[in-house]
Structures are given as structure tokens and as C-alpha cells.
Amino acid sequence: MNVFVSVADLLQLGAAEAVSSTGGPFYTIKMGRIDSDTKDTYVRFVEEDDCVYGLIDKFADMGMDMRDFVALSGAHTIGHMAADTPNTFDNKHFQKIRDPGNVTIELPSDSVMMEHWEAAAYVNLFADNEEEFFLAFAEAMIK
């Protein structure tokens, strides 16, 4: 039996493993993505200096709502963008964003979330409730 796994599926599996192995939520990946044979000319990835409205629009274009947008920014809690705990998936990223005196936020695209009332409400929710952040993150990742 031949089983085909696309590059897109492998990227999603790698992300899920990175999240769960660093203390974040476990979520099941839907397999079956098909890799494109052509280059996508539409820029889907956000720029680190995008304004909050530009970020919201880009995520909306991908079928994501405000909760998804804010939750997915929580991926910055691990890896080289995480100043305090680079190997721990937690809600400290949101605690840093909502602290106006915090200078350890690496990306302007993170701090601008506090400029939009709805995004700021989710930042505060996720900063106070790690379980809610984990649930929102997992749901956004499987969209």
C-alpha cells in the first residue's frame, strides 16, 4: 500500500509535535493536503511590521476570525521569538504583550494587537487563562 504525505501535511505534523512536546495542547491533524505545482503569488504570510488591521485582513482572507488570529500569534511563545521560555509553550507571550512596559516583545505585529479592542480582549483572556488559549490555538490550527 502506497501512502502519500504532502509537504503541507508534514509541516502541520511538525508544528503539532513542536507544540505538544513543549507543553502545549495536543491536537489531531487532518491529513490529505495537496501540494501545489505552481508558485502562489498571493502573499499570505504576515509581515512583522503589518498594522493590526492589515493582520486582521490577512487572517480573514485565510478563513480565520479574531480569536484564531490572536491565538495563532501565541506560537511566538516558543522558539527564537520567545525571550523567557523558548522551550515552553505557555501563555506568557500574551502576558508580555499586555504589559505596556515590557520591552521583550520581539515583533511589532504582536504589540499592535493591543491597539484593537477585540484583539486586546483576546490577549487579556489568553494571558489570564492558559487553558482557553490552548483550546483556541488547537482549534485554529486544525482549520
Side-chain angles (χ1 to χ4, degrees), residues 31-75:
M31 302 294 284
R33 290 169 186 79
I34 298 172
D35 293 327
S36 175
D37 291 331
T38 60
K39 183 178 190 286
D40 189 354
T41 58
Y42 177 74
V43 177
R44 294 181 198 230
F45 295 101
V46 299
E47 299 295 329
E48 66 181 44
D49 60 350
D50 278 346
C51 73
V52 70
Y53 295 100
L55 292 166
I56 292 166
D57 288 345
K58 286 181 181 182
F59 276 79
D61 287 348
M62 294 184 284
M64 304 284 177
D65 61 18
M66 185 69 71
R67 181 176 178 254
D68 300 327
F69 157 58
V70 177
L72 289 174
S73 81

Side-chain angles (χ1 to χ4, degrees), residues 6-123:
S6 68
V7 173
D9 283 340
L10 289 174
L11 289 170
Q12 287 295 313
L13 289 168
E17 180 60 26
V19 167
S20 66
S21 68
T22 57
F26 173 83
Y27 53 94
T28 302
I29 297 298
K30 297 176 189 173
M31 302 294 284
R33 290 169 186 79
I34 298 172
D35 293 327
S36 175
D37 291 331
T38 60
K39 183 178 190 286
D40 189 354
T41 58
Y42 177 74
V43 177
R44 294 181 198 230
F45 295 101
V46 299
E47 299 295 329
E48 66 181 44
D49 60 350
D50 278 346
C51 73
V52 70
Y53 295 100
L55 292 166
I56 292 166
D57 288 345
K58 286 181 181 182
F59 276 79
D61 287 348
M62 294 184 284
M64 304 284 177
D65 61 18
M66 185 69 71
R67 181 176 178 254
D68 300 327
F69 157 58
V70 177
L72 289 174
S73 81
H76 297 159
T77 196
I78 57 174
H80 75 279
M81 298 313 295
D84 298 334
T85 56
N87 298 318
T88 304
F89 193 93
D90 55 26
N91 66 340
K92 288 185 177 42
H93 173 70
F94 298 106
Q95 294 168 5
K96 289 189 293 187
I97 290 173
R98 76 172 175 187
D99 178 2
N102 193 322
V103 295
T104 62
I105 298 173
E106 303 266 345
L107 294 175
S109 61
D110 290 333
S111 58
V112 297
M113 287 188 284
M114 295 306 289
E115 297 172 8
H116 186 279
W117 70 270
E118 189 178 7
Y122 280 113
V123 168

